Amino acid sequence: MALAPDDPLALTITAQINLCECLRTWAPDTTEMERIGEAALDKALANRPDSTSLLGLRVLLLLKRGRHEDALLVADPVLAREPDDGETLRLRLIALFKLGRIQQAAAAVQGLLKTSDNWWTQANAATVLFAAGDDAATIQMARKARVQMSQTERVDPTYGVVAWVLVAAESRAGRLDRAQAALKDFHAAVPTARNRAGIEAWRSSHAMLPDTPAFWEALHRAGVGG
């Protein structure tokens, strides 16, 4: 970047490494990194306004900032051109969920999984399926995601919330023994998140967690404090 500040590849890589979600696993404060990444993204998009990968980064940044409607406005034209772009489909699913458009999100789950069936799409799908009331599918999807996650990913404040979705779905389905076993497994790794306040303090602000009475009641039945 110092030698060639307008180089397309350098701009793209700078945007990617400074906006990546993985920064949160080691950086105590990502504010400055996101500023650098956004500036690089703006310049890169000025040169390549139709780049699917760059527009995907724009969608991610908008989601981080809670601008869910704007994220959809960017994602939908990308998917009109590239309907099988897995990452944009996943980010669109998150935007729909955050906007409370649960049935639309649930309808999009199978299309997403056909295109991109990995642990992070499975984790997002599990949350949507719980919100839609399908406990059996939620349990299957959440367990599948957890098996594929590393220990670090299992306790990540954005993606580790799938553990709570699993506990809630098992509890709502009447399987309290399984719910409590999943709860014990999570507490062994994150002992501070033992009640609602602890869970909300631990999770990241843009994590996909159903914030509904049904979710918190199911956790309470499994043994989570209020």
Side-chain angles (χ1 to χ4, degrees), residues 47-217:
N47 295 326
R48 300 169 58 203
D50 293 331
S51 168
T52 299
S53 60
L54 292 174
L55 288 169
L57 284 175
R58 175 71 77 200
V59 176
L60 175 62
L61 188 60
L62 290 168
L63 288 177
K64 284 183 177 183
R65 294 178 176 172
R67 294 171 58 185
H68 306 120
E69 287 283 7
D70 290 337
L72 283 181
L73 290 175
V74 177
D76 285 343
V78 172
L79 290 171
R81 298 197 320 268
E82 301 284 347
D84 294 328
D85 183 78
E87 181 61 5
T88 304
L89 285 168
R90 186 183 74 85
L91 296 174
R92 182 177 183 273
L93 186 81
I94 296 172
L96 290 171
F97 174 82
K98 290 286 191 175
L99 289 167
R101 292 157 64 173
I102 304 303
Q103 294 310 312
Q104 280 183 267
V109 163
Q110 291 308 314
L112 168 62
L113 293 173
K114 285 180 183 177
T115 303
S116 183
D117 191 4
N118 46 51
W119 70 256
W120 55 92
T121 58
Q122 293 158 7
N124 294 150
T127 299
V128 170
L129 292 167
F130 179 87
D134 191 339
D135 292 329
T138 300
I139 292 165
Q140 181 183 28
M141 197 65 59
R143 288 196 176 279
K144 191 174 178 182
R146 296 276 289 168
V147 165
Q148 296 180 58
M149 286 173 154
S150 69
Q151 274 308 119
T152 300
E153 290 156 351
R154 285 184 172 209
V155 298
D156 180 275
T158 292
Y159 295 110
V161 295
V162 71
W164 295 106
V165 174
L166 175 60
V167 171
E170 295 279 24
S171 173
R172 193 167 65 178
R175 301 172 176 176
L176 284 180
D177 55 337
R178 295 187 184 185
Q180 289 163 356
L183 190 60
K184 184 178 179 181
D185 176 60
F186 186 81
H187 282 160
V190 186
T192 58
R194 292 185 174 273
N195 54 31
R196 181 168 180 170
I199 294 169
E200 291 180 335
W202 166 76
R203 68 167 175 167
S204 68
S205 61
H206 57 285
M208 280 184 72
L209 193 68
D211 193 10
T212 62
F215 174 72
W216 295 110
E217 287 165 13

